[in-house]
mmCIF file of all heavy atoms in Angstrom:
data_model
loop_
_atom_site.group_PDB
_atom_site.id
_atom_site.type_symbol
_atom_site.label_atom_id
_atom_site.label_comp_id
_atom_site.label_asym_id
_atom_site.label_seq_id
_atom_site.Cartn_x
_atom_site.Cartn_y
_atom_site.Cartn_z
ATOM 1 N N GLN L 392 124.099 128.300 -3.201
ATOM 2 C CA GLN L 392 124.516 128.774 -1.926
ATOM 3 C C GLN L 392 123.374 129.562 -1.197
ATOM 4 O O GLN L 392 123.225 129.445 -0.006
ATOM 5 C CB GLN L 392 125.765 129.711 -2.103
ATOM 6 C CG GLN L 392 126.920 128.883 -2.669
ATOM 7 C CD GLN L 392 128.009 129.804 -3.181
ATOM 8 O OE1 GLN L 392 128.916 130.148 -2.408
ATOM 9 N NE2 GLN L 392 127.929 130.245 -4.420
ATOM 10 N N GLY L 442 120.774 129.789 -8.671
ATOM 11 C CA GLY L 442 122.068 130.235 -9.083
ATOM 12 C C GLY L 442 122.136 130.305 -10.587
ATOM 13 O O GLY L 442 121.209 129.816 -11.282
ATOM 14 N N ASP L 443 123.242 130.867 -11.117
ATOM 15 C CA ASP L 443 123.315 130.914 -12.585
ATOM 16 C C ASP L 443 123.548 129.535 -13.145
ATOM 17 O O ASP L 443 123.137 129.294 -14.329
ATOM 18 C CB ASP L 443 124.461 131.890 -13.001
ATOM 19 C CG ASP L 443 125.732 131.763 -12.163
ATOM 20 O OD1 ASP L 443 125.799 130.905 -11.259
ATOM 21 O OD2 ASP L 443 126.671 132.572 -12.384
ATOM 22 N N GLY L 444 124.085 128.622 -12.358
ATOM 23 C CA GLY L 444 124.182 127.228 -12.847
ATOM 24 C C GLY L 444 122.854 126.547 -12.957
ATOM 25 O O GLY L 444 122.429 126.066 -14.026
ATOM 26 N N PHE L 468 121.040 134.489 -8.770
ATOM 27 C CA PHE L 468 122.272 134.979 -8.104
ATOM 28 C C PHE L 468 123.470 134.548 -8.965
ATOM 29 O O PHE L 468 123.797 133.321 -9.011
ATOM 30 C CB PHE L 468 122.366 134.450 -6.681
ATOM 31 C CG PHE L 468 121.319 135.050 -5.783
ATOM 32 C CD1 PHE L 468 120.116 134.382 -5.505
ATOM 33 C CD2 PHE L 468 121.552 136.339 -5.201
ATOM 34 C CE1 PHE L 468 119.153 134.994 -4.717
ATOM 35 C CE2 PHE L 468 120.542 136.921 -4.386
ATOM 36 C CZ PHE L 468 119.372 136.195 -4.166
ATOM 37 N N ALA L 469 124.006 135.468 -9.713
ATOM 38 C CA ALA L 469 124.981 135.150 -10.783
ATOM 39 C C ALA L 469 126.391 135.415 -10.242
ATOM 40 O O ALA L 469 126.815 136.549 -10.129
ATOM 41 C CB ALA L 469 124.680 135.916 -12.035
ATOM 42 N N ASP L 470 127.138 134.333 -9.930
ATOM 43 C CA ASP L 470 128.504 134.470 -9.549
ATOM 44 C C ASP L 470 129.442 133.950 -10.613
ATOM 45 O O ASP L 470 130.647 133.785 -10.367
ATOM 46 C CB ASP L 470 128.747 133.761 -8.168
ATOM 47 C CG ASP L 470 128.517 132.256 -8.282
ATOM 48 O OD1 ASP L 470 127.967 131.794 -9.304
ATOM 49 O OD2 ASP L 470 128.794 131.541 -7.302
ATOM 50 N N GLY L 471 128.897 133.596 -11.795
ATOM 51 C CA GLY L 471 129.779 133.160 -12.885
ATOM 52 C C GLY L 471 130.397 131.829 -12.607
ATOM 53 O O GLY L 471 131.428 131.445 -13.193
ATOM 54 N N ALA L 472 129.789 131.045 -11.741
ATOM 55 C CA ALA L 472 130.427 129.760 -11.342
ATOM 56 C C ALA L 472 129.389 128.788 -10.791
ATOM 57 O O ALA L 472 128.330 129.168 -10.364
ATOM 58 C CB ALA L 472 131.431 129.952 -10.278
ATOM 59 N N PHE L 473 129.737 127.475 -10.922
ATOM 60 C CA PHE L 473 129.099 126.477 -10.003
ATOM 61 C C PHE L 473 129.762 126.786 -8.632
ATOM 62 O O PHE L 473 130.740 126.085 -8.276
ATOM 63 C CB PHE L 473 129.373 125.057 -10.463
ATOM 64 C CG PHE L 473 128.654 124.672 -11.763
ATOM 65 C CD1 PHE L 473 129.329 124.016 -12.790
ATOM 66 C CD2 PHE L 473 127.298 124.848 -11.876
ATOM 67 C CE1 PHE L 473 128.685 123.577 -13.920
ATOM 68 C CE2 PHE L 473 126.599 124.424 -13.032
ATOM 69 C CZ PHE L 473 127.292 123.796 -14.067
ATOM 70 N N GLY L 474 129.278 127.821 -7.980
ATOM 71 C CA GLY L 474 130.000 128.390 -6.863
ATOM 72 C C GLY L 474 130.283 127.414 -5.751
ATOM 73 O O GLY L 474 131.372 127.416 -5.115
ATOM 74 N N LEU L 493 131.592 129.530 -15.384
ATOM 75 C CA LEU L 493 130.463 129.523 -16.277
ATOM 76 C C LEU L 493 130.475 130.735 -17.218
ATOM 77 O O LEU L 493 130.761 131.843 -16.759
ATOM 78 C CB LEU L 493 129.128 129.592 -15.494
ATOM 79 C CG LEU L 493 128.886 128.418 -14.512
ATOM 80 C CD1 LEU L 493 127.627 128.693 -13.715
ATOM 81 C CD2 LEU L 493 128.797 127.088 -15.262
HETATM 82 MG MG1 LIG H 602 126.605 130.173 -9.463
#
Side-chain angles (χ1 to χ4, degrees):
Q392 298 166 90
D443 41 3
F468 291 95
D470 62 350
F473 288 133
L493 300 175

